[in-house]
Amino acid sequence: MLHALRLELRSLIEHWWLPALAVLLPWPWAFRLFRRLARYPGLYEEEWRPALAQARQYLDIADEADWCWRYRLTRLVDHADFWLSRTRSARWLRRHVD
């Protein structure tokens, strides 16, 4: 039971609260914060560890720490995109998103 609650709390933080900061902060600030948060190895740990194992099979990864950091950063930005697409106007999206 405690393990399930921990997983749910982690999911709430990783998939909802942290990415939602992109709505509350100006994007340059949010991205800087995401870059720092992505350095924490516990972030998206249940995703990046299997992804790294899979990537090792097909890629020659010179710097695994950098690969993991980039993976976590990409996940944060992907989840932030959800929030931005739900809270910003079509005009804002056309102006700021490629």
Side-chain angles (χ1 to χ4, degrees):
M1 177 72 174
L2 185 59
H3 180 68
L5 285 174
R6 246 187 248 150
L7 286 175
E8 291 300 321
L9 180 60
R10 171 173 265 184
S11 180
L12 182 66
I13 292 169
E14 291 177 349
H15 296 104
W16 293 90
W17 290 351
L18 291 179
L21 291 173
V23 174
L24 303 173
L25 298 172
W27 177 247
W29 294 4
F31 187 69
R32 270 188 243 138
L33 178 62
F34 289 168
R35 287 175 57 100
R36 287 183 185 257
L37 290 171
R39 298 211 180 277
Y40 174 62
L43 187 66
Y44 299 113
E45 187 172 17
E46 293 188 12
E47 293 179 32
W48 70 257
R49 286 193 187 277
L52 177 60
Q54 186 75 23
R56 280 185 193 131
Q57 293 179 359
Y58 300 102
L59 303 171
D60 181 27
I61 301 173
D63 186 354
E64 288 187 1
D66 183 64
W67 188 95
C68 294
W69 171 75
R70 290 175 187 278
Y71 180 90
R72 291 187 296 265
L73 180 60
T74 300
R75 297 299 291 159
L76 272 170
V77 171
D78 283 347
H79 290 293
D81 282 349
F82 167 80
W83 285 103
L84 291 171
S85 70
R86 299 292 179 247
T87 59
R88 300 297 192 250
S89 67
R91 181 174 167 236
W92 187 93
L93 291 170
R94 278 193 304 275
R95 189 172 30 162
H96 294 287
V97 178
D98 290 334

